[in-house]
Amino acid sequence: LAFSTANEERLRILNGGGILKGHSTASTNFHDPQTTVDRTPSVQIHGGNSVHASAALVSWSSNAGAYYSNALYLAHSGSSTIGTNGIVSNSNTLGSIVFSGDDGTDFVKGAMITAESDGTPGNNDMPGRLIFFTTPDSSNALSERMRINKDGKVGIGQNDPSAGRLEIRVSGD
């Protein structure tokens, strides 16, 4: 189903329910946060530059403070039933931001930021960590480079920082 104005297509809803802007066919060759290839994101914005291939969330001051500013939520439930709640387990991925580049065939991961639960969640309690990954040359596999755990400790080249606030482990790279 295509939506047009001034005889130009502006938005398309695909048969499977996906939303597409800027192209008539969805891209189907993304690598997901794990190792799976040939993924098709449900919402896609295509364009030749940042004007046509960008999304913005804009919040104007309403004298209500930061509480009503814009937000992007990446949320994960431990429930297997859509629309219901279920507690996540320790080390569950809460969401990922994947940065990909086209290698001529697929959109391959070059870097990624992942948020995970970092301990046992409880009522209004979600201990979390951020993990930063990059992909080395001649590879398509992400490598963890930095981690900030639930205690605010930072590990660079170390995925379990325990000494002080910042721990750096230098390898033979």
Side-chain angles (χ1 to χ4, degrees), residues 13-14 20 51 113 120 136 141 151 155 167:
I13 299 177
L14 305 172
L20 183 61
V51 172
I113 303 169
T120 304
D151 300 319
E167 184 173 334

Side-chain angles (χ1 to χ4, degrees), residues 3-172:
F3 296 92
S4 301
T5 60
N7 293 324
E8 189 173 330
E9 184 176 307
R10 305 295 181 181
L11 183 74
R12 180 177 290 244
I13 299 177
L14 305 172
N15 288 337
I19 298 172
L20 183 61
K21 181 180 179 342
H23 195 33
S24 59
T25 305
S27 294
T28 61
N29 53 355
F30 287 88
H31 292 205
D32 74 5
Q34 285 72 42
T35 58
T36 307
V37 298
D38 299 329
R39 293 292 193 200
T40 305
S42 296
V43 177
Q44 296 185 26
I45 301 172
H46 294 247
N49 56 40
S50 62
V51 172
H52 296 109
S54 297
L57 302 173
V58 180
S59 176
W60 305 109
S61 177
S62 64
N63 297 323
Y67 183 79
Y68 292 103
S69 66
N70 55 12
L72 175 63
Y73 295 91
L74 303 177
H76 177 84
S77 175
S79 174
S80 59
T81 304
I82 293 174
T84 64
N85 293 63
I87 193 167
V88 296
S89 301
N90 182 30
S91 297
N92 273 169
T93 299
L94 304 176
S96 297
I97 301 171
V98 180
F99 303 90
S100 302
D102 192 337
D103 69 352
T105 304
D106 294 319
F107 289 97
V108 181
K109 299 178 294 280
M112 182 170 70
I113 303 169
T114 296
E116 293 181 349
S117 56
D118 191 15
T120 304
N123 188 27
N124 290 320
D125 172 38
M126 185 57 59
R129 63 177 162 246
L130 288 175
I131 307 170
F132 296 80
F133 300 86
T134 62
T135 303
D137 195 14
S138 302
S139 176
N140 67 1
L142 292 165
S143 295
E144 181 177 332
R145 304 301 187 181
M146 184 172 82
R147 178 181 294 224
I148 305 170
N149 72 14
K150 66 183 175 198
D151 300 319
K153 295 178 181 173
V154 178
I156 299 174
Q158 165 64 316
N159 65 9
D160 188 19
S162 57
R165 295 299 251 180
L166 174 64
E167 184 173 334
I168 300 172
R169 179 169 294 158
V170 179
S171 64

